[in-house]
Amino acid sequence: MGFSVRKADDKFVNAIDDFQRYRDKKAWELAFRSLTNVMNVDPKLMAPSKDGFMLPARQRIMELLVTLPPEGREAYRLFNDAPAKQLYDQALAAGGNSLADEVPLLRKVYEQYFITSVGDQAADRLGDALFESGDFLGADATWAAIIDRYPDTDLNPLRVQVKRGIAMARAKRLDPLNALIAQIKEKNAGATVTVAGADVEATAFLMKQIEPTTKPAATLFVKGDNDTPLNLPASDAPAWQCEFLNREITEQIAQRVNGWRWQGANLQMAFFVPSSDTDGKRVYVNWLGACFAIDATSGKLVWRTDKFEDISQKIDQLVQSLPDIFAYSTVVIPNDRVLFVRVPVKRINYDEPMRLTCHDSNTGQQKWSSESGTLSSYTFLGKPVVVGDVIYAPGKTREGSELMLLTIDPANGKLLSSMTIGQAAAGSNYRGNTVVPSSNLTFFQGKVYVLTNNGGMVAVNPATKQVEWAYQCEGPPVINQQEWWAYQNMAQKLKTAGVITIQDGMLYFKERGVDDMYAIDLSGPTLKWKRPVDDSDMIAGVSEGRVVTLGSDAGAIDVNSKALTWSTRIPLDNGMIYPLINGKSLFVFLGRGVYEINTTNGALVKIFRGSDKDSMGGSVWRAGQKLITVSNQAVTAYPLGAAARAN
Amino acid sequence: MIKLKLIGAAMCVLISTGLARADEGITVSASGEVKSKPTVVEIGATVSADAELTADAIVKYREAKKKGVDAITNLKMPNVTMESNGYTVNAAVDQQQQMRMMQGMGGGGTATKQKVEVSEQMKLTIKDADKLEPEKLMDTLLKVIDAGKDAGLVIGPPPATNYYEMQIRAQSGKGASMVLFKLGDINALKEQAYKQAMNSANAKAKRLAELAGVKLGRVMSVQEGQPKDENSGQNASRAMAYMNMGIPFVPNEQTDVSSNLCGDIPVKVVLSVQFEIVK
C-alpha cells in the first residue's frame, strides 16, 4: 500500500453506484436525486477513475453525467438548467472584475452542469480563460470535452477545433495536432474560420502553428545552453579542479554503515555525489550539508558554510539519522541567492530534519533558514522549484506522514501557504522517526507535478490549491526499523533518482527503486502505457521519440510502441548520476570517464577520461564554454571541444 | 598332471623371485622442474543481461555481446581471440532477497518480479605471449581489459554481491585475479623435466649404492608421483581456479599448466625409481 490521496467517503461512492444503477434503468429522477447530496462534495476529495487515476470527486460526477443518453440529458436539463444558468451569469458578472474571480465559478458550472444548456458556453469560456493563463493542456481538455461530449452544442465546432489545435501547438502536442488537422481535412476540407478579424483556411492556419524544431528533448539536468552542440574536450587537462572530498570522513561513514551492517540499505552515503547548480559565475555545491561556492572561471573556493572536518565530529549521528541522500539539493534563484536543502552541519544530531536554507550567492551569508520561523515545523523532502516569485517545495511535518506542497516567499523564507497533497506510506528509521521518501517536483504550464517516489504521481494546481489528478501505482518497499537487519552483509542495489520528464504533452515518470515506467497523456489525463524496467534505471530524457533510460544499461524506449530499441552496457558504480542530453547525444559521467552515447542507436561515440580519476562518477553539465563534472570527490571544469567554441 | 605340477612350481619360483625383487634394490624419489614463459594468457569475460520482459533481455544481451565483441575486434590485435561456450537462459536471482532468505529473514517489502537472465561466458585469449616483452604483454593485457570494461563486459569474475561470497572466494585464494597465464603445450617441457628427474634419480641411487658398498644395476620400475603445488593436474583445483577467473573450464585437460603470476611457470614431475643391486 503506497501513497494515497484524500478519498471521498463511502457515501459518495454509494451515491455514484446508485446513479449508475438508476441511469441504466432510465429512472432519471432517482438517478439525479442520488447525486443531489454529493454535488457539493468537498472539491479536495478524490474519487477513483479508470486506469489507476484518482480525480476530484466533482470531476468524477461530470464524467458520469456525460454518459447519459439523450433522454437522460433532457431530463437533467429539466431539473438543472435554471441553477446552471444562474451560476453561469454569476461567473460572467465576476469576469467583469477579474479572470481569477470568474474561473472558479466557470469551473463549477463545467464540473457540475456541463450537460445543461449553458454547459458548452461555460466550457468554451473556461477554455479561453485557461489558455490566457498559459494552461494550454487544460484549455485543450476543456474544448475537447465540448467536441467529444456535447453533441448538441450551438457553438461552431470548427471554431472550437481550431482553438483546440492552437492550444495543442502551444503545448507541443504535435502528434494529436496532426491527427486533428487530418480529421478537419476529412470532414471540413477548405472550411474557413475568422482569426483576428481575418478569414483563414482552418487546416492551413493550424499547420502554420506547428513550429519546426530541432531542439533536443527535455532533460531535467540541463544547466545553461543546451542548444549548441556539445563536443567533449580533446584533452584530459582541466581548466580547473576543486577537490573537496575528505577521505577520512567517507571512510568513517563507510565504517559506521558496515559496523551497523546497513550496507544493503545505505552504503551509497559513503560515495555521496553532492547536488550542485550554477549561475554561470559560480558553481554551488552541497556536500552532506557543508555547502560551498567555487568561482567558475578560476576554480577557487569563494565561500563555504562549514568546514568539512566539522562533519567528522558527528558521523555517528549522521549515519544513524540515515538522511535520504536524494533529498540534498541546490537551487540557484534570482537576486543572487542560492537555496540548499540540507541538515546544517552544526545541527546534525540523531533527529534533525532536512532544512531549507537561503544564502547570498556572492558571500555565502545565510539570508534565512527553516530552522526558525513559519517553516520550522517542516521537514523538506527534496528539491524545490522556483516559479516567478515563489518557491514550491515538498515537505511534511516533523512526525507526520502527510505529503505537503509548501509555497514560500524567497525574499524572507515566509510560508505563504501549504496544502496537503496526500498521505505517504511512511516507514521509520533506526531512531524511530517517521521517514518519507523525498519527492521530485516539476512545474509545467501552470501545474506542479509531484513524483512522490512512494507510489504516486500528483498534479497540483497551485493557483487554486487543488489536486487536479493523482495516479496511484506500486511504489518502492517501505523501509521499517526491523528491515535494517535484513540488509546485513549484502551489497546495496544501485539506487538512481526518480525522474519526471514532460515532452509533447506526455509525462513520463519512473520512481526511485521501482521497476515500472509510466507514460501519461496530460490532455486526459490517461495512461498511455506502463512497462517494466530495471529498478536501478532512471529516465535521462526524451530524444527523437524515445525515452532514454540509464542504469546498468543505457537504453531507449520508443514512446509509441514502448519497445526497447537499443541497449548499451555501461560500467555504473554509483546511482547518484545526473546525465545530460544534448542533440542526439547522451552524456553520462561514470567512474571511467564521461561517456557520449548516440541516442539514435546506442553507439558509444567517445569516452572522455578526464582528470577526475578514481571517482565514482556523478553529474555532468555544461556552463557556457565549459564542461563541468561533479563527482563524489571533486568539481572539475574542462574547456569544451573546438567545434562547440566555434559555434 | 606332472606338466601341471611343473608349471605350478615354475609360477611359484617366478612369483617368489618377483616378491623377493620388490624388497631388493634401491628406490629413490627425484623431481625435475623446467620453467618457461607463459605462451597463452586467458581472460574471462561475462556478458549477461536480465529483464522482466524477455524481449528486453534479448535486446540487452545481443547489444552487450555485439558491443563487447566489436570493442575487442576494433583493437586490431591479431593475437587476441574471443571464444564462447554458448549462452544460458535462467531465472535471474535477486541477490538481496537471496541473502535475506539465507539469514532467515522475510523476502523483503514487496514481492520480487521474476526476471529472465541471458548469460554467456567468454574467453579472451592472447596467443604467443612468450614472444612479447613483459612490458608489452602488460600493455596488451591492460588494453584488452580496458576495451572490454569500456564496452560493458564483466572482466574476470563478477563482483561479490554479499559477504559470504567474498569469504568463499578468499578461502579459495583466487578471489581477485582476472587473468590466467598458461603454458600452451607442455609436452616438450615435460620431456625435459623427466630427463632431469631421471638424471637426478640416477645420481641419488649411485650415491646410495656407493655408501652401501653395492653396485647399482638396471632400472626395475619407475612411478610418477603428484607434485605438491597448485599446478597439479587435478581437475577439482583447476575447476575452482577457472571458476574464480570467470573462465569456462574444460575438465580432463592434461596438457596445460597455469598461474596467476606473470612470470616463468614451472613444469614439475616427480618420479619414484627402483634400481637393481647387482650381486
Side-chain angles (χ1 to χ4, degrees):
Chain A
M1 177 66 180
F3 179 82
S4 61
V5 290
R6 281 180 64 202
K7 293 191 183 71
D9 59 13
D10 288 343
K11 184 177 153 193
F12 179 87
V13 175
N14 292 338
I16 297 298
D17 289 342
D18 288 343
F19 172 84
Q20 288 174 308
R21 195 167 59 249
Y22 292 131
R23 176 200 64 195
D24 295 340
K25 288 180 184 171
K26 300 190 183 183
W28 307 125
E29 195 176 335
L30 288 170
F32 303 145
R33 197 183 298 166
S34 66
L35 288 183
T36 308
N37 291 336
V38 297
M39 286 298 266
N40 289 316
V41 64
D42 184 345
K44 291 191 171 58
L45 296 179
M46 310 291 279
S49 182
K50 56 182 179 174
D51 290 337
F53 282 93
M54 300 290 286
L55 296 177
R58 288 190 184 172
Q59 200 174 325
R60 184 74 184 106
I61 294 173
M62 182 211 166
E63 269 192 342
L64 291 170
L65 291 175
V66 299
T67 63
L68 286 170
E71 60 268 34
R73 285 176 182 242
E74 282 306 315
Y76 188 80
R77 286 174 185 177
L78 203 62
F79 290 103
N80 293 285
D81 260 8
K85 182 137 191 349
Q86 190 180 18
L87 191 57
Y88 182 57
D89 289 340
Q90 282 176 16
L92 292 178
N97 296 331
S98 78
L99 204 63
D101 293 335
E102 184 183 11
V103 168
L105 293 169
L106 285 174
R107 191 176 288 284
K108 202 169 175 184
V109 177
Y110 172 63
E111 287 173 353
Q112 294 184 15
Y113 299 112
F114 178 64
I115 61 171
T116 60
S117 305
V118 296
D120 56 342
Q121 295 168 60
D124 187 37
R125 202 169 169 91
L126 178 62
D128 291 339
L130 292 174
F131 187 93
E132 278 181 42
S133 69
D135 184 359
F136 304 119
L137 289 169
D140 174 16
T142 315
W143 287 320
I146 298 172
I147 298 300
D148 299 334
R149 298 171 175 189
Y150 203 104
D152 54 344
T153 182
D154 293 328
L155 298 171
N156 182 340
L158 180 63
R159 183 171 177 74
V160 174
Q161 290 279 54
V162 169
K163 288 204 290 187
R164 200 181 155 205
I166 299 170
M168 285 178 180
R170 296 287 188 275
K172 302 279 188 278
R173 293 187 68 235
L174 301 182
D175 285 344
L177 176 55
N178 282 318
L180 178 67
I181 292 170
Q183 189 187 354
I184 295 173
K185 265 188 188 159
E186 192 184 323
K187 291 185 179 166
N188 301 92
T192 60
V193 287
T194 306
V195 176
D199 285 344
V200 295
E201 203 256 321
T203 52
F205 175 75
L206 285 177
M207 294 202 40
K208 281 186 195 162
Q209 306 306 309
I210 302 174
E211 286 173 4
T213 175
T214 55
K215 276 195 173 191
T219 170
L220 292 184
F221 310 113
V222 172
K223 312 283 182 192
D225 172 26
N226 204 37
D227 290 334
T228 313
L230 191 158
N231 290 300
L232 288 173
S235 160
D236 286 353
W240 51 259
Q241 185 174 74
C242 176
E243 273 200 42
F244 57 81
L245 176 68
N246 184 314
R247 290 185 195 277
E248 194 186 318
I249 291 175
T250 51
E251 276 168 16
Q252 285 177 352
I253 291 173
Q255 271 171 15
R256 296 298 192 283
V257 171
N258 287 324
W260 283 101
R261 296 185 166 184
W262 292 340
Q263 310 89 321
N266 214 29
L267 191 57
Q268 265 186 196
M269 204 166 137
F271 314 115
F272 180 76
V273 174
S275 69
S276 52
D277 202 351
T278 185
D279 53 9
K281 292 182 290 189
R282 282 173 287 273
V283 179
Y284 307 94
V285 183
N286 179 353
W287 189 70
L288 288 174
C291 304
F292 55 97
I294 303 169
D295 185 280
T297 306
S298 64
K300 289 197 170 11
L301 184 69
V302 178
W303 54 258
R304 63 181 175 183
T305 58
D306 306 272
K307 290 182 192 169
F308 304 138
E309 295 76 25
D310 293 344
I311 296 180
S312 67
Q313 309 300 321
K314 305 195 178 189
I315 295 289
D316 266 326
Q317 293 96 315
L318 184 65
V319 170
Q320 285 195 34
S321 67
L322 279 159
D324 183 344
I325 54 175
F326 289 97
Y328 287 92
S329 308
T330 307
V331 183
V332 169
I333 63 175
N335 302 318
D336 291 338
R337 302 252 175 127
V338 57
L339 299 175
F340 298 111
V341 175
R342 62 183 183 129
V343 179
V345 174
K346 59 184 183 297
R347 291 179 74 106
I348 291 175
N349 59 41
Y350 296 106
D351 300 311
E352 183 69 13
M354 282 284 181
R355 301 289 187 183
L356 179 66
T357 62
C358 179
H359 299 253
D360 184 309
S361 59
N362 296 305
T363 62
Q365 185 195 16
Q366 183 169 291
K367 290 299 184 185
W368 54 260
S369 167
S370 69
E371 294 162 80
S372 60
T374 48
L375 295 174
S376 59
S377 58
Y378 293 98
T379 299
F380 284 82
L381 294 175
K383 189 172 180 176
V385 294
V386 179
V387 180
D389 53 2
V390 294
I391 298 169
Y392 296 114
K396 71 174 191 75
T397 54
R398 290 287 295 270
E399 287 305 321
S401 58
E402 281 191 342
L403 182 61
M404 310 184 78
L405 184 68
L406 308 174
T407 309
I408 300 163
D409 185 343
N412 52 27
K414 196 175 157 207
L415 179 67
L416 298 173
S417 68
S418 68
M419 65 171 283
T420 299
I421 295 172
Q423 184 74 31
S428 62
N429 65 10
Y430 178 69
R431 305 294 302 177
N433 296 324
T434 309
V435 170
V436 169
S438 56
S439 307
N440 298 80
L441 298 192
T442 197
F443 183 85
F444 182 74
Q445 292 189 354
K447 295 191 184 50
V448 176
Y449 295 91
V450 183
L451 181 65
T452 64
N453 290 306
N454 193 232
M457 161 65 75
V458 184
V460 176
N461 188 327
T464 60
K465 299 202 183 11
Q466 302 262 19
V467 172
E468 295 224 334
W469 54 263
Y471 181 77
Q472 293 182 257
C473 51
E474 195 176 326
V478 173
I479 293 180
N480 279 315
Q481 188 172 341
Q482 61 272 19
E483 283 281 312
W484 294 123
W485 313 116
Y487 289 99
Q488 284 182 29
N489 299 331
M490 63 182 75
Q492 180 175 21
K493 281 188 181 186
L494 273 176
K495 244 194 250 180
T496 52
V499 174
I500 322 169
T501 190
I502 298 175
Q503 181 79 6
D504 296 336
M506 295 290 301
L507 182 150
Y508 306 94
F509 75 89
K510 190 225 166 255
E511 290 191 316
R512 189 165 71 239
V514 161
D515 53 10
D516 287 310
M517 184 188 298
Y518 300 82
I520 291 180
D521 185 337
L522 290 175
S523 65
T526 50
L527 179 70
K528 185 168 178 190
W529 50 254
K530 163 190 166 184
R531 60 113 66 214
V533 291
D534 200 78
D535 56 12
S536 64
D537 283 350
M538 64 182 283
I539 296 174
V542 179
S543 175
E544 297 183 311
R546 296 180 202 91
V547 178
V548 181
T549 61
L550 203 54
S552 302
D553 303 273
I557 295 168
D558 186 279
V559 299
N560 293 314
S561 68
K562 63 179 181 170
L564 182 68
T565 57
W566 57 258
S567 172
T568 299
R569 181 60 51 85
I570 56 172
L572 186 67
D573 299 314
N574 184 351
M576 297 187 79
I577 48 163
Y578 301 97
L580 169 68
I581 290 183
N582 175 280
K584 292 184 185 176
S585 288
L586 167 70
F587 296 91
V588 54
F589 177 33
L590 304 168
R592 295 180 67 82
V594 177
Y595 278 49
E596 180 181 353
I597 297 171
N598 186 311
T599 56
T600 307
N601 55 22
L604 183 58
V605 176
K606 187 177 176 181
I607 300 175
F608 169 64
R609 299 292 180 196
S611 68
D612 192 358
K613 309 277 193 232
D614 301 324
S615 76
M616 304 280 282
S619 314
V620 58
W621 34 273
R622 176 198 198 143
Q625 293 307 316
K626 289 200 173 63
L627 184 77
I628 309 273
T629 60
V630 182
S631 72
N632 58 308
Q633 62 187 23
V635 181
T636 316
Y638 307 90
L640 280 171
R645 281 203 294 276
N647 285 334
Chain B
M1 191 61 183
I2 295 171
K3 245 191 189 173
L4 279 171
K5 281 184 185 171
L6 280 173
I7 290 167
M11 289 289 290
C12 289
V13 169
L14 281 168
I15 288 165
S16 64
T17 310
L19 283 171
R21 279 183 186 160
D23 295 332
E24 295 173 359
I26 296 173
T27 303
V28 294
S29 176
S31 63
E33 182 179 297
V34 175
K35 289 187 179 179
S36 180
K37 278 188 183 176
T39 55
V40 166
V41 182
E42 288 180 354
I43 306 169
T46 309
V47 176
S48 69
D50 65 68
E52 192 180 326
L53 297 178
T54 312
D56 282 0
I58 292 171
V59 168
K60 287 183 181 183
Y61 160 74
R62 282 184 179 152
E63 298 256 330
K65 181 176 175 181
K66 181 180 180 306
K67 281 163 179 138
V69 170
D70 285 349
I72 301 299
T73 308
N74 289 343
L75 290 173
K76 293 188 174 29
M77 293 178 174
N79 59 334
V80 176
T81 58
M82 205 165 177
E83 299 159 36
S84 164
N85 258 9
Y87 64 84
T88 59
V89 180
N90 301 308
V93 171
D94 182 302
Q95 293 289 344
Q96 282 200 346
Q97 191 169 49
Q98 198 180 43
M99 273 305 298
R100 275 192 280 269
M101 284 156 61
M102 281 170 72
Q103 291 177 144
M105 302 291 170
T110 55
T112 307
K113 293 178 190 169
Q114 177 130 81
K115 288 185 181 181
V116 171
E117 182 189 47
V118 184
S119 178
E120 183 171 347
Q121 282 217 304
M122 311 193 76
K123 184 165 68 176
L124 304 171
T125 308
I126 302 172
K127 294 181 182 154
D128 300 328
D130 56 330
K131 296 190 170 77
L132 296 170
E133 291 299 319
E135 287 299 317
K136 183 86 172 102
L137 178 60
M138 192 185 343
D139 283 346
T140 304
L141 268 175
L142 295 178
K143 266 190 195 159
V144 170
I145 291 173
D146 243 4
K149 282 191 161 189
D150 282 343
L153 294 175
V154 176
I155 301 291
T161 54
N162 57 63
Y163 176 66
Y164 298 116
E165 204 176 319
M166 279 168 58
Q167 276 189 321
I168 291 166
R169 288 192 187 178
Q171 280 165 13
S172 73
K174 305 241 189 217
S177 185
M178 285 179 174
V179 177
L180 202 60
F181 298 90
K182 290 173 66 173
L183 298 171
D185 183 4
I186 61 170
N187 288 331
L189 295 169
K190 255 194 167 176
E191 188 66 25
Q192 291 177 43
Y194 282 140
K195 266 190 189 165
Q196 265 188 23
M198 281 305 293
N199 291 340
S200 173
N202 260 319
K204 276 188 187 177
K206 267 189 186 157
R207 181 70 185 132
L208 286 173
E210 276 171 23
L211 290 171
V214 297
K215 198 170 174 192
L216 203 63
R218 63 190 172 87
V219 173
M220 290 166 61
S221 70
V222 180
Q223 276 186 335
E224 185 171 3
Q226 287 293 340
K228 290 180 186 146
D229 63 20
E230 63 188 36
N231 288 331
S232 72
Q234 293 293 333
N235 277 336
S237 63
R238 285 212 311 278
M240 182 71 100
Y242 272 64
M243 187 182 77
N244 286 329
M245 302 299 149
I247 298 172
F249 173 66
V250 178
N252 296 322
E253 279 182 47
Q254 299 295 327
T255 59
D256 67 320
V257 173
S258 59
S259 170
N260 296 336
L261 297 172
C262 179
D264 288 346
I265 299 174
V267 176
K268 273 187 183 172
V269 295
V270 172
L271 298 178
S272 177
V273 185
Q274 185 183 24
F275 291 88
E276 187 191 24
I277 293 175
V278 176
K279 290 195 172 92

